[in-house]
Amino acid sequence: HEAQGPESLRHLRAPSVVESGAVLSIDATSLRSLELERTARSGQAAGSLVTSMQRCRTGMGRRLLRDWLCAPLAQLAPITQRLDAVAALAQDPRASVVLGEALDGVQDIARMHARIAMGRATPRDLAALARSLARCSEIAVACTGTPALMPFAQPMSDALPAVRDLAIRLASQCVDTPPSHLREGGLWLDGVDADLDE
């Protein structure tokens, strides 16, 4: 088993301070009693609050919902901001459909990033990353017509230039249907690298 050095931890974010009182701290016993992630009787996820509320389109959304339910906000302003966003989508079904369609096909970027940082990404991860990053501009556009969504979309909009460039670069250099493993070859299009072509 190889020891992992600092390079293998590049995908991790630096620790951040959670402001005291920003979220409710729920101990493990209360989490079990509230059946947020698992039911008390069977210990299974089926029937828990997280599972019954799960309608997220992406893996990242599913994890975020779980985090939000297990560490609920404790301050009025962010709670109101979140509720306003939900209300805006509930009151405007067209905006909800447009945003849902923009999210369709977005793969788990956080997990792909971790695999890339650890040197364990597959060619399919790179192709999926390109497709997912390309959707970010559509997601940002879908949010622009709904003011309540802008606080959530702004960080993504700020990152769009760098994300768009990476998505275009990957999409323009990778084949449409990449192999499952790099050792099989055939990931890069002809003309990307003369030495590789040779």
Side-chain angles (χ1 to χ4, degrees):
H1 189 67
E2 242 178 72
Q4 292 185 349
E7 286 298 304
S8 65
L9 303 177
R10 286 182 305 170
H11 66 287
L12 298 177
R13 290 189 194 138
S16 61
V17 176
V18 175
E19 185 181 326
S20 178
V23 297
L24 296 176
S25 180
I26 304 176
D27 61 83
T29 303
S30 298
L31 280 173
R32 278 193 304 274
S33 296
L34 292 169
E35 298 187 332
L36 295 178
E37 295 183 277
R38 303 198 174 284
T39 60
R41 181 172 292 176
S42 69
Q44 300 296 316
S48 68
L49 180 63
V50 170
T51 303
S52 64
M53 292 185 68
Q54 197 54 263
R55 302 289 184 277
C56 297
R57 301 250 184 164
T58 68
M60 296 175 290
R62 287 187 283 277
R63 282 196 304 279
L64 183 61
L65 176 64
R66 185 194 65 223
D67 292 346
W68 282 2
L69 290 173
C70 293
L73 294 171
Q75 296 176 351
L76 183 59
I79 290 171
T80 302
Q81 186 180 60
R82 204 177 277 176
L83 289 174
D84 288 346
V86 172
L89 290 172
Q91 292 164 5
D92 186 352
R94 187 198 59 77
S96 181
V97 167
V98 169
L99 180 57
E101 288 173 353
L103 286 167
D104 274 344
V106 173
Q107 302 291 311
D108 199 331
I109 295 172
R111 293 250 166 100
M112 285 185 282
H113 176 252
R115 287 195 293 271
I116 290 167
M118 295 178 74
R120 295 187 178 160
T122 68
R124 290 179 184 169
D125 285 331
L126 294 178
L129 179 63
R131 288 191 304 271
S132 297
L133 292 178
R135 306 290 295 189
C136 289
S137 56
E138 292 178 43
I139 296 167
V141 168
C143 292
T144 55
T146 309
L149 296 180
M150 288 310 295
F152 301 98
Q154 194 58 52
M156 184 173 55
S157 296
D158 294 343
L160 268 179
V163 167
R164 189 183 301 116
D165 290 347
L166 178 58
I168 291 170
R169 197 164 150 217
L170 281 172
S172 66
Q173 295 180 357
C174 295
V175 297
D176 290 334
T177 52
S180 59
H181 200 280
L182 199 54
R183 68 176 166 260
E184 297 171 24
L187 169 62
W188 307 108
L189 291 168
D190 290 344
V192 169
D193 185 288
D195 291 337
L196 183 61
D197 289 347
E198 187 180 336

